[in-house]
Amino acid sequence: MEKNTFIENFVLPSELMNSSTKNVEHISFGGVSLPHDTIYLDFAASTPLDKRIFEKMTPWMLGYFANAANRTHPMGELTEHALAWARTSIAKVFSVSFEEVIFTASATESNNLLIRGLVEDPHRKRNKIVFCATEHSSIITTIHTLVENFDKKLGIEFAELTVNKDGQINIDEAQKIIDNNTLCVCVMDVNNETGIKQIQLEKIRQLTLKFATILHVDSSQGFARSELIAQGVDYDTMTISSSKIYGPKGAAALIIKKRKPRIKLQAQLTGGGNEFNLRSSTPNIAAILGFAHACIFQKQEAKERIQYYKKLENIFCEELSKYINVKYYASENYKVPGVLTLSFKNVNAMKLLEETKTVCASVGSACKTLQATASHVLVAMGIDLENTLSSFRVSFGLTNSENEVREAAQRLAHSALNLRKKSATLS
């Protein structure tokens, strides 16, 4: 198999991310172990740790482990300065100020902090939260939970922005929904399931400015797979995640820009007053420092990474077309490279991935019933239930090789054809 120059930067040995693995120690938990020939195509869900970042993190896990909130001794003071460096570095990457970067443990927590923090602010004067129908569940579920459980106490309501078949927000409808009572509008820049870029983000921004409404952008995928931060559109708050950009898990951030009137959030974790009184907790210095380095590398290497994702995607699609007809759910004009949602006609996606045990891909939901596996993103785009249940996502990463991607395409196509034969035999 050809040399992959990207692999050398990752802590995982190249053999583990290669379809022709040999002599890799097997680890088993609960009777589950990783087959030697496993191919991972789920990088939109999680990425491996860049070895350069791992080396930067190690001293802060083994030697300099003090609590940055304790400044009464030299080690605590040292870790405090390390935390400040990480915050300053990320602020520079996103062209914001030091105080505008709030560290959290995950993108889900960042989204929750923003939405719950806004709604629970005792001085809040607006009641409506608006969100795009294709947002991540950490946005949609949080809003629904607040409305269902606390609507009378908090006096809040929500409105959903529908999308067309290309995943783009219906602006005419948005103009009717966003008004003077709108507290916040949540629109991700790049969809996590389809890789679709939200081209209408600039028009949504103009509406939020018109009504002095907060625009929140979940850029967990956008920062990872686009050269433009938030598609080049101004925003008020934004979520970013370490685990999507080859950094450690357990680190993310909520960027809260300074504006008038000031954005006020009610803290969800209280106690020590960390993160400018918005998130009390002993900071995970090693993970936060790793996150900062991951942000720096991502910005420096974005163009090269995106080109590599595009190359892998083209190889994968070309190889698939040799064996089977494929339906893709996003046009090239509307999506970022390296994330594909696709389906094979009359092939259930859950059964396909069960059949193709050595290719790691994902479906829209992990629910057990077939009805529940329908992706809310594709449903919002008007895709019928049969095609939705046949859809799955593949997402490419820097540790994938070209031959590996070709092999994965062959395995998926052959599994799909086998399932069709079985279905025909049973009928």
Side-chain angles (χ1 to χ4, degrees):
M1 188 162 289
E2 81 280 5
K3 180 180 177 64
N4 183 338
T5 57
F6 288 108
I7 284 179
E8 295 175 356
N9 287 332
F10 294 84
V11 70
L12 292 174
S14 59
E15 291 86 357
L16 186 61
M17 306 305 298
N18 194 301
S19 60
S20 61
T21 60
K22 293 181 180 179
N23 303 319
V24 178
E25 179 185 357
H26 272 228
I27 298 175
S28 177
F29 287 103
V32 178
S33 61
L34 184 68
H36 279 303
D37 57 349
T38 296
I39 301 175
Y40 186 82
L41 295 184
D42 201 18
F43 287 84
S46 183
T47 54
L49 184 63
D50 189 321
K51 186 177 181 181
R52 296 169 296 179
I53 295 171
F54 177 74
E55 291 171 349
K56 297 287 187 181
M57 293 172 58
T58 302
W60 302 92
M61 292 184 284
L62 301 179
Y64 304 103
F65 50 82
N67 190 330
N70 190 346
R71 306 174 186 89
T72 59
H73 53 69
M75 194 183 289
E77 187 176 8
L78 180 64
T79 52
E80 180 196 15
H81 285 298
L83 180 64
W85 176 87
R87 199 185 309 276
T88 301
S89 299
I90 292 177
K92 184 177 180 181
V93 167
F94 291 92
S95 300
V96 297
S97 66
F98 179 88
E99 300 86 0
E100 293 174 326
V101 178
I102 308 300
F103 289 119
T104 65
S106 66
T108 291
E109 185 191 347
S110 292
N111 288 335
N112 270 260
L113 174 59
L114 185 278
I115 295 169
R116 294 177 184 272
L118 284 174
V119 168
E120 295 177 12
D121 174 28
H123 304 294
R124 170 177 55 83
K125 296 180 180 179
R126 300 188 181 198
N127 299 323
K128 186 192 296 184
I129 300 181
V130 178
F131 63 92
C132 181
T134 55
E135 291 300 294
H136 189 269
S137 59
S138 61
I139 294 284
I140 297 176
T141 302
T142 300
I143 293 171
H144 279 287
T145 299
L146 288 170
V147 172
E148 291 171 5
N149 297 341
F150 305 106
D151 60 332
K152 293 182 180 179
K153 178 181 178 181
L154 299 173
I156 61 168
E157 59 183 278
F158 70 85
E160 183 179 89
L161 298 174
T162 62
V163 299
N164 61 22
K165 62 181 179 62
D166 294 315
Q168 301 304 311
I169 292 172
N170 295 313
I171 291 299
D172 290 342
E173 182 182 74
Q175 291 173 339
K176 298 176 182 177
I177 290 175
I178 300 171
D179 55 23
N180 286 317
N181 189 41
T182 304
L183 176 63
C184 179
V185 179
C186 301
V187 179
M188 60 169 52
D189 55 354
V190 173
N191 187 267
N192 59 298
E193 288 190 26
T194 60
I196 288 176
K197 297 182 289 186
Q198 187 49 248
I199 307 300
Q200 302 288 15
L201 192 57
E202 176 60 45
K203 292 182 179 179
I204 294 296
R205 179 52 174 165
Q206 295 308 311
L207 288 173
T208 61
L209 289 173
K210 177 181 178 180
F211 295 104
T213 296
I214 295 167
L215 173 62
H216 176 61
V217 177
D218 182 345
S219 193
S220 300
Q221 295 296 334
F223 180 49
R225 294 182 179 270
S226 174
E227 289 188 67
L228 292 174
I229 294 172
Q231 294 300 297
V233 175
D234 183 32
Y235 59 91
D236 296 301
T237 60
M238 184 168 71
T239 290
I240 51 176
S241 174
S242 171
S243 65
K244 313 302 183 189
I245 54 173
Y246 307 93
K249 295 176 180 63
L254 174 64
I255 294 176
I256 307 173
K257 287 188 175 180
K258 295 177 181 177
R259 49 161 277 181
K260 294 182 180 180
R262 184 169 64 88
I263 298 173
K264 297 179 181 178
L265 302 183
Q266 191 79 356
Q268 299 302 298
L269 294 178
T270 56
N274 307 74
E275 296 303 309
F276 308 105
N277 291 313
L278 287 177
R279 186 188 186 273
S280 294
S281 179
T282 300
N284 186 342
I285 294 297
I288 289 172
L289 283 171
F291 180 27
H293 285 290
C295 287
I296 293 170
F297 290 144
Q298 177 64 31
K299 186 173 182 180
Q300 291 175 344
E301 302 170 1
K303 185 176 182 179
E304 184 181 20
R305 293 182 180 194
I306 291 168
Q307 288 176 344
Y308 191 63
Y309 297 149
K310 182 61 178 176
K311 183 178 183 180
L312 293 177
E313 180 179 310
N314 288 339
I315 290 171
F316 179 83
C317 294
E318 182 180 347
E319 191 68 22
L320 265 184
S321 67
K322 296 177 182 178
Y323 303 94
I324 192 169
N325 290 328
V326 189
K327 181 177 179 60
Y328 298 101
Y329 292 95
S331 67
E332 189 173 348
N333 295 331
Y334 286 123
K335 66 179 289 298
V336 295
V339 179
L340 288 171
T341 294
L342 62 151
S343 69
F344 306 128
K345 189 175 181 179
N346 299 325
V347 177
N348 180 272
M350 289 289 287
K351 292 182 179 179
L352 174 68
L353 297 186
E354 289 172 1
E355 179 87 4
T356 320
K357 297 181 185 298
T358 56
V359 176
C360 299
S362 65
V363 293
S365 171
C367 302
K368 292 183 179 180
T369 64
L370 289 179
Q371 183 72 24
T373 60
S375 162
H376 75 280
V377 173
L378 297 185
V379 170
M381 292 167 59
I383 308 300
D384 63 81
L385 184 60
E386 180 180 354
N387 280 303
T388 301
L389 294 176
S390 296
S391 69
F392 63 101
R393 180 189 71 186
V394 295
S395 47
F396 309 105
L398 301 182
T399 53
N400 286 135
S401 69
E402 295 178 23
N403 285 346
E404 191 177 41
V405 166
R406 290 190 185 93
E407 175 66 23
Q410 293 170 17
R411 293 182 193 179
L412 288 167
H414 292 156
S415 292
L417 293 173
N418 286 336
L419 285 171
R420 284 182 182 172
K421 289 180 181 178
K422 291 179 182 178
S423 178
T425 302
L426 290 173
S427 61

